[in-house]
Amino acid sequence: MLHIMIVGCGNIAHLIFKKSKNIAIDAVFDINEQRAKEFSKLTGAKICKSIEDLLKQDCTLVVEAASPHAVVEIGEKVLKARKDLMIMSVGGLADKDFYEEMLSLASKLEQKIYIPSGAIGGLDALSAASIGKIESILIETTKPASSLPVEVKEKKKIFEGTPDDAIKQFPKNINVAVTLSLIGRSKNVIVKIVADPNAHRNKHNITIRGDVGTITMCFDNVPSENEATSLLAGYSAVALLERLSSPLQF
């Protein structure tokens, strides 16, 4: 049985509780106290009044399921408390200086930072390809317009640029671009975001070019209860946690 603590008691936290088989949620923290209370009643997890209170607990794995801002706020605190950290809001690592500081600190303290695959897959192939040269990574994401902070009457490209700029404008919608950038170890990542008022799913078309050739991937994802988040993203958190508790690693 793997014991965890969760920061953020929203959609991802509920999926972890409902779908995991070998995971116990010991404690939770959420800036929304009512949401924390409701989740605690459901799971039996202890409610912590602050991140400092959470980090005093014995459990050694913290799951961030709140926001990119939360990653920046709690990241170093978690590692300094000698606890491992699983990050769902990968956009919090978009700032390269912060990312390098987190890696350096984790290495120094011999702690682990875990990043689930999120709303996409094929990251094992990308990681292998990055041993050689990655020339470019292109991700085109199409989402229901209602899940984006825009108003459009027809299908329209609303953004094209870097993952850093994308996450600043759409912090809750484009974590996958940052994941691709980090695992692909590439600065040549282009993000396109398309808003479609007639779409009911989150679609990601990815093209990776490099020494190994061309890798193309397409994901047509059913949204979770939170329309901005694919159900696959929540399931990827459960899958990673289950792997950590399993004697079989792949």
Side-chain angles (χ1 to χ4, degrees):
M1 181 73 70
L2 179 68
H3 291 260
I4 67 172
M5 302 186 291
I6 301 180
V7 176
C9 298
N11 181 50
I12 296 295
H14 280 79
L15 282 173
I16 290 174
F17 172 69
K18 292 176 182 177
K19 296 297 182 179
S20 61
K21 298 178 181 179
N22 301 299
I23 300 165
I25 304 172
D26 290 358
V28 295
F29 168 69
D30 195 307
I31 57 174
N32 185 324
E33 293 185 11
Q34 183 58 37
R35 189 160 56 187
K37 288 179 181 178
E38 292 172 358
F39 190 66
S40 176
K41 288 181 181 178
L42 183 67
T43 64
K46 177 180 179 179
I47 301 173
C48 296
K49 299 297 184 181
S50 66
I51 186 63
E52 287 75 18
D53 183 20
L54 185 86
L55 296 177
K56 291 177 182 177
Q57 310 306 311
D58 291 335
C59 183
T60 59
L61 176 57
V62 176
V63 176
E64 174 280 318
S67 69
H69 178 71
V71 175
V72 177
E73 287 293 311
I74 73 169
E76 293 188 354
K77 293 179 181 179
V78 172
L79 297 177
K80 288 179 179 178
R82 296 303 178 97
K83 300 183 186 296
D84 297 329
L85 175 63
M86 190 175 97
I87 297 176
M88 290 303 303
S89 307
V90 189
L93 298 177
D95 183 284
K96 296 300 186 290
D97 290 337
F98 176 68
Y99 170 67
E100 293 296 339
E101 289 172 4
M102 287 286 288
L103 284 188
S104 177
L105 184 59
S107 178
K108 177 182 177 181
L109 299 177
E110 298 184 342
Q111 301 300 140
K112 298 292 185 182
I113 299 172
Y114 299 104
I115 299 178
S117 54
I120 58 174
L123 299 183
D124 53 344
L126 173 57
S127 179
S130 69
I131 299 300
K133 181 181 179 181
I134 299 292
E135 295 174 359
S136 65
I137 299 175
L138 171 64
I139 174 169
E140 180 172 315
T141 292
T142 300
K143 291 202 170 194
S146 57
S147 72
L148 294 162
V150 296
E151 292 186 9
V152 295
K153 295 183 178 179
E154 59 185 17
K155 186 176 180 180
K156 180 180 180 181
K157 181 174 73 175
I158 59 172
F159 176 86
E160 180 172 348
T162 67
D164 190 21
D165 289 336
I167 207 70
K168 288 177 182 176
Q169 294 188 43
F170 306 96
K172 297 182 179 180
N173 296 87
I174 201 67
N175 285 304
V176 292
V178 178
T179 300
L180 288 170
S181 178
L182 296 179
I183 295 179
R185 307 174 194 175
S186 176
K187 296 180 180 178
N188 301 318
V189 181
I190 296 298
V191 181
K192 295 181 181 180
I193 302 176
V194 176
D196 186 349
N198 298 314
H200 300 288
R201 296 190 177 190
N202 301 318
K203 297 183 179 181
H204 304 287
N205 293 315
I206 302 165
T207 303
I208 302 162
R209 302 184 189 279
D211 287 350
V212 299
T214 301
I215 301 171
T216 58
M217 298 180 285
C218 179
F219 301 90
D220 187 3
N221 296 339
V222 173
S224 63
E225 292 182 9
N226 177 352
E227 193 176 31
T229 303
S230 296
L231 189 60
L232 182 61
Y235 284 3
S236 77
V238 177
L240 175 53
L241 291 170
E242 294 285 0
R243 285 198 299 275
L244 292 177
S245 65
S246 172
L248 178 63
Q249 299 293 311
F250 59 90

